[in-house]
């Protein structure tokens, strides 16, 4: 970036927030990349007094060449790799990849697998929002919320661990199905967790969002208008807080989302407070979905968890493992057919998207019939959201930076892939 | 039923009294948890979590079951699992033959469990713990002999096993896992007895 430039690169100005010409009083402040609050990114901020006049997010500090790495790995090996884009939202992040490859293979996950995927997606969404809220709290100096949100996130991580066997890197959806079915005591545990969390959300509101000190820092700060949000192409709860009715679960239902009953909360205000409330309301809806899905899973027989193509030829041992007849291996594990180790995907191009915790994530997958993908393109939600900083922050005071920054629920590893 | 949109608004703030009421509300909640805290802290390593059987921890090979198909090494996304050629004596043919067995490098393993899931004869399994310390990195590349043993976990000898249970009021509740503790004590008693007897025999 050119140091100390006077011209503003921004095309959009907020009404009443004029960007001043260069003057002696301008300083450049760098937030990050080793700042505890900024995560692995840097923000160039030009301040006039303590008013931010120009903000430029600089990403790329945790770039891991995911897309290139994917070209040298077999199809299934890419699932654990893409999980690392946003580890706290692992199921949502890998699901579109799995769906895109499924499209190329010409298969679709059977019904029970679809519900199981929905279940883990929603558990991940709750965990991811709680993480975001915790970080938001500590940005504003509210360490209570930080401790609470991280403690409560543990409830959902534990739930995910009981379902998949790992706390964060679940590698749960695979082509044609999932890797485990729910344990016998899972529905009861899940219901306890959702009931607990609903009650906790009210307390969160009391101690954080309705707390006058926090409110005054968030209300009318970082207002993102509907037009601006659409123009910048943002995604996720951030645009739903600005009044745009866009959610992949609504516009293009996938997995079991067409069959469960839930609401998409949309707010009008578009300020930091609305973004925070949008997340709280979304957690509430996710809890509803978890309840419904768990009830569905309980009522229906344990069959159809893997596509016929892969399960039809399963030997008896595989069924024994599922039924828990092997003493040393846990129950309800769905073993993978050895064909997964050298899967060849028919040539073609496909595209899939889902609504992850932070917004829409898109995968474009191209195959030339080999055991490796020819090209995988990932567009992650944080990458699309980060540009908002440039247009929302100028005009505010420097101390508003964390309030805006935290409200967008940034996640640097997801910007960079 | 597909999703519905529900239009919402930020909760309003009354011009009067809300600041006051909001503060009181926040303080009341804070006070409630001051007297009745919701603690889930694990005092590791004095306590350790007794994880469920399904947990994806360290991996153990059952050599007798392995058919040397290499599926596990091929699927491993981190190239942690490799096939090792060993000479084995074949009883039927009465000669030495080369057979391949998997070995693991824990420097690389990410515990994705794909190898365990893909093994057609269930010759691999997970042990439900993953917190094991090695003195140097070379030790983390296991030999075929070590790969067949369940790795030893130090905390299991001294720490108190705990389990987390879901609770409606508190989320997660930490409870000592007595069964495990009793089992361990019994084992220790037995060991002591055996040692005592050994001493007697020696004298
Ligand atoms: S758990 Fe995953 S990373 Fe570890 S050896 Fe098995 S396949 Fe490889
Ligand atoms: S997949 Fe199982 S049977 Fe095949 S080589 Fe690995 S451990 Fe042996």
């Amino acid at each position: 970036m050119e140091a100390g430039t006077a011209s503003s690169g921004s095309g959009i100005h907020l009404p009443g927030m004029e960007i001043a010409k260069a003057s002696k009083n301008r300083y450049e402040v760098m937030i990050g990349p080793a700042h505890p609050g900024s995560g692995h990114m840097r923000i160039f901020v030009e301040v006039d007094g303590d008013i931010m006049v120009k903000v430029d997010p600089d990403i790329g500090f945790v770039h891991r060449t995911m897309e290139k790495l994917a070209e040298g790995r077999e199809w299934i090996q890419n699932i654990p790799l893409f999980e690392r884009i946003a580890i706290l939202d692992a199921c949502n992040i890998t699901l579109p990849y799995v769906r895109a490859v499924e499209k190329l293979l010409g298969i679709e996950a059977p019904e029970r697998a679809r519900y199981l995927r929905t279940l883990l997606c929603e558990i991940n969404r709750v965990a991811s929002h709680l993480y975001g809220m915790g970080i938001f709290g500590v940005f504003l100096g509210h360490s209570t919320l930080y401790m609470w949100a991280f403690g409560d996130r543990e409830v959902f991580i534990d739930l995910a661990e009981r379902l998949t066997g790992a706390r964060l890197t679940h590698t749960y959806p695979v082509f044609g199905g999932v890797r485990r079915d729910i344990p016998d005591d899972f529905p009861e545990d899940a219901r306890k967790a959702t009931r607990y969390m609903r009650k906790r959300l009210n307390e969160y509101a009391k101690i954080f969002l309705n707390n006058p000190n926090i409110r005054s820092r968030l209300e009318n700060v970082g207002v993102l208008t509907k037009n601006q949000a659409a123009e910048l192409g943002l995604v996720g709860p951030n645009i739903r807080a600005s009044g745009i009715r866009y959610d992949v679960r609504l516009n293009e239902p996938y997995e079991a989302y067409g069959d469960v009953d839930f609401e998409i909360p949309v707010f009008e205000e578009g300020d930091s407070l609305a973004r925070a409330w949008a997340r709280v309301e979304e957690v509430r809806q996710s809890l509803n979905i978890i309840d419904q899905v768990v009830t569905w899973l309980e009522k229906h027989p344990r069959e159809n968890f893997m596509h016929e193509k892969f399960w039809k030829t399963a030997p008896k041992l595989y069924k024994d493992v599922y039924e828990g007849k092997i003493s040393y291996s846990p129950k309800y594990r769905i073993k993978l057919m050895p064909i997964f180790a050298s899967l060849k995907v028919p040539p073609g191009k496909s595209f899939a998207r889902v609504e992850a915790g932070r917004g829409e994530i898109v995968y474009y997958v191209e195959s030339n019939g080999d055991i490796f993908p020819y090209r995988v393109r990932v567009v992650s939600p944080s990458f699309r959201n980060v540009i908002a900083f440039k247009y929302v922050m100028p005009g505010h005071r420097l101390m508003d930076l964390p309030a805006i920054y935290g409200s967008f629920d940034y996640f640097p590893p997801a910007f960079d892939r | 039923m597909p999703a519905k949109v529900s239009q919402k608004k930020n909760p309003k703030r009354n011009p009067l009294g809300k600041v006051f009421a909001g503060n009181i509300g926040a303080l009341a909640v804070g006070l409630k948890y001051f007297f009745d805290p919701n603690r889930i802290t694990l005092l590791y390593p004095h306590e350790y979590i007794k994880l469920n059987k399904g947990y994806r921890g360290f991996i153990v090979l059952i050599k007798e079951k392995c058919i040397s198909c290499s599926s596990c090494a091929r699927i491993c996304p981190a190239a942690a699992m490799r096939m090792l050629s060993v000479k084995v004596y074949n009883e039927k043919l009465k000669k030495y033959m080369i057979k391949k067995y998997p070995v693991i490098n824990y420097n690389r393993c990410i515990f994705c469990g794909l190898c365990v899931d893909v093994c057609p004869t269930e010759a691999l399994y997970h042990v439900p713990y993953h917190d094991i310390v090695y003195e140097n990195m070379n030790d983390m590349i296991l030999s075929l002999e070590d790969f067949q043993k369940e790795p030893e976990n130090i905390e299991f000898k001294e720490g108190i096993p705990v389990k987390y249970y879901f609770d409606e009021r508190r989320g997660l509740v930490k409870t000592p896992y007595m069964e495990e503790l009793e089992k361990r004590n019994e084992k220790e008693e037995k060991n002591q007895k055996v040692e005592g007897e050994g001493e007697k025999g020696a004298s």
Side-chain angles (χ1 to χ4, degrees), chain A residues 109-131:
Chain A
E111 199 170 23
R112 193 174 176 84
R114 293 211 314 264
Y115 272 87
L116 285 166
R117 285 176 181 183
T118 310
L119 175 63
L120 188 61
C121 279
E122 291 308 313
I123 291 175
N124 272 184
R125 193 185 314 277
V126 176
S128 152
H129 281 343
L130 286 176
Y131 177 96

Side-chain angles (χ1 to χ4, degrees), chain B residues 59 76-78 80-81 104 109-115:
Chain B
I59 299 162
C76 180
M81 189 84 73
I104 196 168
C109 181
I110 55 171
F111 301 107
C112 63
L114 288 176
C115 52

Side-chain angles (χ1 to χ4, degrees), chain A residues 93-362:
Chain A
I93 294 289
T94 51
L95 188 58
Y97 171 70
V98 172
R99 283 175 58 80
V101 176
E102 276 176 354
K103 273 185 201 166
L104 287 176
L105 288 167
I107 58 174
E108 204 173 305
E111 199 170 23
R112 193 174 176 84
R114 293 211 314 264
Y115 272 87
L116 285 166
R117 285 176 181 183
T118 310
L119 175 63
L120 188 61
C121 279
E122 291 308 313
I123 291 175
N124 272 184
R125 193 185 314 277
V126 176
S128 152
H129 281 343
L130 286 176
Y131 177 96
M133 252 188 271
I135 296 283
F136 190 25
V138 83
F139 268 13
L140 298 176
H142 197 289
S143 51
T144 310
L145 187 82
Y146 173 63
M147 287 315 211
W148 281 17
F150 271 66
D152 292 338
R153 173 173 168 253
E154 206 60 27
V155 177
F156 289 90
I157 289 181
D158 230 53
L159 220 48
E161 186 219 293
R162 273 166 219 215
L163 176 60
T164 66
R167 282 163 55 84
L168 293 172
T169 48
H170 317 298
T171 324
Y172 191 62
V174 288
F175 315 130
V178 291
R179 286 180 59 201
R180 283 193 198 190
D181 207 333
I182 49 169
D184 287 322
D185 53 356
F186 188 85
E188 207 36 57
D189 286 345
R191 268 184 220 116
K192 278 182 192 160
T194 54
R195 254 176 264 152
Y196 165 73
M197 198 60 225
R198 274 199 202 98
K199 199 187 66 190
R200 278 293 265 188
L201 284 177
N202 295 337
E203 287 177 348
Y204 279 21
K206 268 189 200 147
I207 208 159
F208 188 69
L209 290 170
N210 285 341
N211 184 336
N213 305 320
I214 298 295
R215 259 195 94 119
S216 8
R217 286 205 60 185
L218 300 185
E219 217 167 8
N220 296 328
V221 168
V223 179
L224 182 71
T225 59
K226 201 169 174 174
N227 281 343
Q228 216 177 354
E231 204 172 320
L232 296 173
L234 309 187
V235 283
N238 303 331
I239 56 162
R240 293 198 284 280
S242 296
I244 298 179
R245 299 169 178 215
Y246 182 73
D247 188 316
V248 186
R249 294 175 295 171
L250 172 79
N251 300 40
E252 193 186 289
Y254 54 95
E255 304 306 341
Y257 286 110
D259 305 326
V260 290
D261 193 13
F262 67 107
E263 292 173 354
I264 306 281
V266 174
F267 285 74
E268 281 300 334
E269 290 87 347
D271 55 357
S272 290
L273 188 64
R275 282 191 285 274
W277 270 109
R279 289 199 168 78
V280 172
E281 293 296 333
E282 224 166 77
V283 169
R284 236 185 269 273
Q285 295 304 325
S286 293
L287 297 176
N288 287 345
I289 300 176
I290 292 174
D291 276 349
Q292 289 173 38
V293 169
V294 155
T295 313
W296 190 96
L297 287 170
E298 223 177 6
K299 271 196 206 138
H300 289 74
R302 288 177 186 268
E303 56 191 21
N304 278 336
F305 34 74
M306 188 53 127
H307 191 265
E308 273 302 297
K309 184 178 173 187
F310 297 120
W311 198 249
K312 193 171 57 200
T313 50
K316 186 168 170 297
L317 177 84
Y318 279 35
K319 281 156 198 162
D320 286 351
V321 169
Y322 183 81
E323 282 156 18
K325 287 184 188 157
I326 308 287
S327 60
Y328 53 83
S329 70
K331 222 176 170 185
Y332 303 133
R333 251 181 63 222
I334 299 156
K335 281 179 72 70
L336 306 172
M337 294 301 287
I339 188 178
F340 274 107
S342 52
L343 194 68
K344 277 196 179 150
V345 173
K349 297 167 188 176
S350 81
F351 167 89
R353 56 181 183 167
V354 309
E355 183 77 19
R358 294 179 173 72
E360 180 194 40
I361 174 155
V362 180

